[in-house]
Amino acid sequence: MRIVAIAGTIIRRSIIVIFGLLLIIQAIGLVESNSSDKEFIKSLNHDGPVTKYTLNKKIDMDGDIFTAKELYITSKKTVLHYSISKQDPGGWSFPNSAIKLINSNGEELMQHSSSSSSTGRGETGFISFNEMNEPLGSITLKYDWYDRQAELNIPLAKDGEGQ
């Protein structure tokens, strides 16, 4: 009987240690890392001078909050830095292709690529569009995905110009 009690104790303690390690790994995954974001932003300098617009504009999508954080414009591309905070983190995947940028002339910029990384309750990422020649006044961000639509007019003021 004593051997069974010792074996049970060892098994219980092993399970506790394993679940403790899994919990620590999960907690580390919740900590946001901005290092890859910073590296991506630094890589934009290879295209020449970068104009940064701080946006911090939010769109409520049925309780999920999309935030257009910053817009970077180089001579070769326009990059939107965004984040999305989801009510249900295990729910739907955010479709980057549903985001459209329309310049002040009414022309839609073609989307070339996107990247994202998961956070605790959503994701953050970058969407690259073709270059925007001389952005004037504002841009329009459109979101259109099945039954979810939203539009946001964003005035453009360079960092340091006072918004």
Side-chain angles (χ1 to χ4, degrees), residues 89-139:
W92 63 289
S93 295
F94 180 70
N96 296 333
S97 61
I99 297 293
K100 312 286 186 234
L101 275 184
I102 300 164
N103 67 14
S104 56
N105 298 330
E107 300 168 353
E108 182 178 322
L109 302 178
M110 179 181 285
Q111 187 179 130
H112 292 287
S113 62
S114 63
S115 65
S116 65
S117 57
S118 294
T119 61
R121 296 204 54 87
E123 66 184 58
T124 184
F126 296 91
I127 304 174
S128 296
F129 298 88
N130 58 339
E131 73 278 355
M132 185 182 330
N133 298 327
E134 297 183 39
L136 302 171
S138 67
I139 60 165

Side-chain angles (χ1 to χ4, degrees), residues 33-43 116-117 124 126:
S33 172
N34 293 348
S35 62
S36 63
D37 291 354
K38 290 177 184 175
E39 291 299 319
F40 180 80
I41 293 167
K42 284 182 185 177
S43 74
S116 65
S117 57
T124 184
F126 296 91

